[in-house]
Structures are given as C-alpha cells and as structure tokens.
Amino acid sequence: MTFANIAIIGLGLQGGSIGLAVREFLPESRTRGYDLSAQHRARAAERRLVDEVCTTAAEAVRDADLVIFCVPPGVMGIAAEQVRAGLPANALVSDVGSSKQAVAKALGDALPEHVVIPAHPVAGTENSGPDAGFAHLFRNRWCIVTPPAKVDMVKLSGLVSFWEALGANVEIMTAEHHDLVLAVTSHLPHLIAYTIVGTASDLEDVTQSEVIKYSAGGFRDFTRIAASDPTMWRDVFLSNKEAVLTMLQRFTEDLTALQRAIRIGDGDQLFDHFARTRAIRRSIIEEGQDDARPDFGRGDHEGR
Ligand SMILES: NC(=O)C1=CN([C@@H]2O[C@H](COP(=O)(O)OP(=O)(O)OC[C@H]3O[C@@H](n4cnc5c(N)ncnc54)[C@H](O)[C@@H]3O)[C@@H](O)[C@H]2O)C=CC1
Ligand SMILES: O=C(O)C(=O)Cc1ccc(O)cc1
C-alpha cells in the first residue's frame, strides 16, 4: 500500500523533514501541509517543504490517505479536531510525537472513526521550526511504530513501508513499552541537560567567564541538548509523566550511590561504573547507532 496524498500538520523540524524526504524518496506521492503559524507557512512555502501549503488544516487533509501530525505533544488533540471536518473516512492517521500513550489517546478521542497508528521517529536535533528540516533526517534512524492491539494490517504495513522508504529502520512495540524505554533513553537525558545548564548558569557570578571559556568540554554537549524547543519538551514531560518519574527515581538512587562512593573514597566502585558505561558507548558505536558516524545527516544540513 502506497500513499498518494499525504497531509502534514505542523511544518517544523519533523513535518518539514518528512515533506522533503517524501519528495526525494517517494516522488509519486503528493504532499499538502498546514501550520498554525502564518510565518511558518510562508517560510515552508519558500523552502518548498511540501507541494502545497494550505491556509486551513481541513484543506490540507482534502483527499489525504495519510495524515501525519507533527505538532508538539500537548496540542495533538486540538490539531486533530481541526482536520475532522475535511478528513476522508479511509485516511490513516499517524503522528511523530515523542510520547506515545497520551498522544494516541488524544488522537483517538478527537478522531474516533479513523484508524490511528502512532509512530515516533527517534531522529531529531535541537533545532525547530520550518528552517530546521532536512530530507535525510531519518536515514538509518529508528522509527518506533505503536499500533493498537487490534489494527488494520494493510494500513500498518503501509505505514512501515512509508518510514522504510524515508530511510528509517522500523520497530513495532506497545505505546506503554515505548514510553518507558524513551523515558530513560531520551526524556531523562534531556531533563539532566536542562538541569546542569541551569545549575551552571545559576552559579554565573562565580563561573560565567569559565562556563563560556571551557565549554568545549562535556558541558558543551549538554548546552546543545538544553537548547531544544521549550514548548515541545514541556509537553513531553507532562505527557509522559509516570514513566519519567519512575526513571528519575532510579536515576536519583544511582546518583546517590556514586555520590557516596566519592564521599567515602571508593575508587573501585567509581572505576567499575565508568568502565561499564564506556563499554556501553562502544557497543552503541559498533551497532552503528551513533550520530558521529561520518555520513550521518551531513551534506544538506549544517545544524548539528
Ligand atoms: N525535535 C525533535 O528532535 C523531535 C521531535 N519529535 C516530535 O515531533 C513533534 C514536532 O516536533 P518538531 O518538529 O521538533 O517541532 P517544531 O517546533 O519544529 O514544529 C512544530 C510545528 O507545529 C506548529 N503547530 C503548533 N500547533 C499547531 C496546530 N495546532 N496546528 C498546526 N500546526 C501547529 C508550530 O507552529 C511548528 O511550526 C513533537 O510532537 C515532538 O515530540 C519527534 C522526534 C524528534
Ligand atoms: O538532538 C538530540 O540529541 C535528540 O535527542 C533528538 C530527539 C529529540 C526528541 C525525540 O523524540 C527524538 C530525538
């Protein structure tokens, strides 16, 4: 099953990248897009992120057989309500939200008559808006698809093929499992980055010049992550609250254990811990899941 008319709601990093990637990898498909911001619509048209930028959401979904919501997690339901009037009955509804249970519920509540199959491309950057997108964002990255227990298999396989055509490797799991895994691999790291950059800034009377001067160290990586979009990340934490709080509890216990090892001078514990984490990093690189690969996302994008 291929999609002839794809509607993209939200023309920022994700929506723009999908539009550009469809033009490059699925040239037979036609794309229409809508964004709430008139400024973003104008810029999306200038960059030709989609074939046609529409001034209403209902117009963008006209004739669509696939609609992908690419808006912050907290407004998925509102955005879905905006397309209801114009959405063809047979259209598949999907999204790219970073949390899945809450987003699936919001989309399902707003569009109860439609097939909804949520997805999450685990591919992004700290940049947002219509200037941030690029066609190769999804190349060699995971896209996690979280179908409901009873699902239209033809539409599911169509969605899997769609993401594979854009270069992604697709994994299927429940929304609940997704939210737990991503809480520790993505959401918690962002929370830690937001915290450390805030802490350093609060100490700025003492350290301001040093923070800038020595930011080529590990701190620089944290500032990149902590520059990520505030609206989106506020919504991620609020929409995946339970899983994030569970993982934060575990993290806090492990941090306290390291804190104690430092206080009592237990060098063996520190060494063993750091040796274990180094091995994890090396295994990630061996599996080819690392952004630092020479060919990753380069060429048409300088934002990383
Ligand atoms: N930033 C990242 O690295 C990743 C983000 N995601 C998910 O993708 C989704 C979109 O994120 P980005 O593209 O990064 O954000 P973005 O901020 O670049 O784009 C979102 C766009 O949605 C528009 N918008 C807001 N409310 C709207 C509405 N009601 N109707 C239509 N347009 C509306 C905004 O004007 C903006 O242009 C989020 O749910 C996020 O969790 C998923 C993977 C990676
Ligand atoms: O920029 C980074 O390091 C990211 O981690 C990008 C990212 C942000 C949110 C997601 O749901 C998936 C990927």
Side-chain angles (χ1 to χ4, degrees):
M1 177 185 189
T2 52
F3 300 104
N5 291 303
I6 300 169
I8 302 172
I9 308 298
L11 297 170
L13 168 70
Q14 293 294 319
S17 297
I18 292 172
L20 293 172
V22 167
R23 183 168 305 121
E24 183 163 336
F25 302 115
L26 293 168
E28 313 275 277
S29 300
R30 188 178 156 71
T31 53
R32 285 203 182 96
Y34 168 75
D35 197 290
L36 186 63
S37 154
Q39 235 179 344
H40 287 194
R41 289 200 299 272
R43 187 65 190 130
E46 276 167 14
R47 285 199 69 204
R48 295 196 59 235
L49 297 180
V50 285
D51 297 330
E52 188 186 340
V53 175
C54 301
T55 47
T56 67
E59 201 185 321
V61 300
R62 186 165 37 96
D63 306 327
D65 41 18
L66 171 64
V67 181
I68 309 179
F69 289 95
C70 303
V71 299
V75 293
M76 290 280 182
I78 294 168
E81 274 162 24
Q82 287 165 345
V83 306
R84 193 157 45 194
L87 189 62
N90 199 35
L92 169 60
V93 173
S94 191
D95 75 293
V96 294
S98 301
S99 59
K100 293 274 57 95
Q101 289 173 101
V103 167
K105 181 171 180 345
L107 294 176
D109 287 352
L111 300 168
E113 310 296 329
H114 284 82
V115 175
V116 178
I117 307 182
H120 175 202
V122 189
T125 72
E126 70 281 18
N127 301 317
S128 56
D131 280 303
F134 57 105
H136 290 196
L137 175 63
F138 310 109
R139 192 172 65 190
N140 281 329
R141 310 313 304 258
W142 289 109
C143 180
I144 301 174
V145 176
T146 62
K150 277 182 75 179
V151 66
D152 177 329
M153 290 308 288
V154 175
K155 285 191 163 62
L156 175 61
S157 83
L159 189 67
V160 169
S161 304
F162 171 80
W163 280 107
E164 286 175 347
L166 269 45
N169 303 310
V170 175
E171 191 83 66
I172 293 179
M173 63 180 72
T174 64
E176 191 183 5
H177 187 65
H178 167 280
D179 285 354
L180 263 186
V181 172
L182 271 289
V184 71
T185 58
S186 176
H187 306 169
L188 200 52
H190 276 78
L191 193 66
I192 292 164
Y194 281 123
T195 310
I196 185 99
V197 174
T199 304
S201 154
D202 289 346
L203 299 172
E204 69 184 15
D205 281 354
V206 189
T207 63
Q208 191 176 34
S209 57
E210 282 97 335
V211 166
I212 295 161
K213 191 167 163 189
Y214 302 123
S215 68
F219 186 71
R220 194 179 182 86
D221 293 344
F222 283 118
T223 62
R224 184 188 74 77
I225 304 259
S228 301
D229 188 66
T231 302
M232 169 192 150
W233 281 99
R234 175 201 61 197
D235 288 1
V236 170
F237 291 116
L238 296 182
S239 64
N240 197 23
K241 177 175 159 179
E242 297 306 328
V244 168
L245 290 178
T246 300
M247 293 305 169
L248 193 55
Q249 176 65 31
R250 285 288 300 271
F251 174 80
T252 309
E253 286 170 20
D254 293 346
L255 186 64
T256 304
L258 290 180
Q259 184 181 4
R260 182 170 182 280
I262 294 169
R263 184 167 54 74
I264 67 175
D266 188 344
D268 287 347
Q269 186 183 348
L270 294 174
F271 182 89
D272 289 349
H273 187 93
F274 301 157
R276 189 161 67 89
T277 57
R278 170 186 265 191
I280 291 167
R281 164 75 183 176
R282 290 183 173 168
S283 71
I284 291 171
I285 291 173
E286 273 163 26
E287 281 171 24
Q289 284 295 317
D290 176 45
D291 288 3
R293 298 192 311 284
D295 69 337
F296 171 73
R298 312 267 169 182
D300 55 348
H301 175 67
E302 292 170 359
R304 293 192 70 86

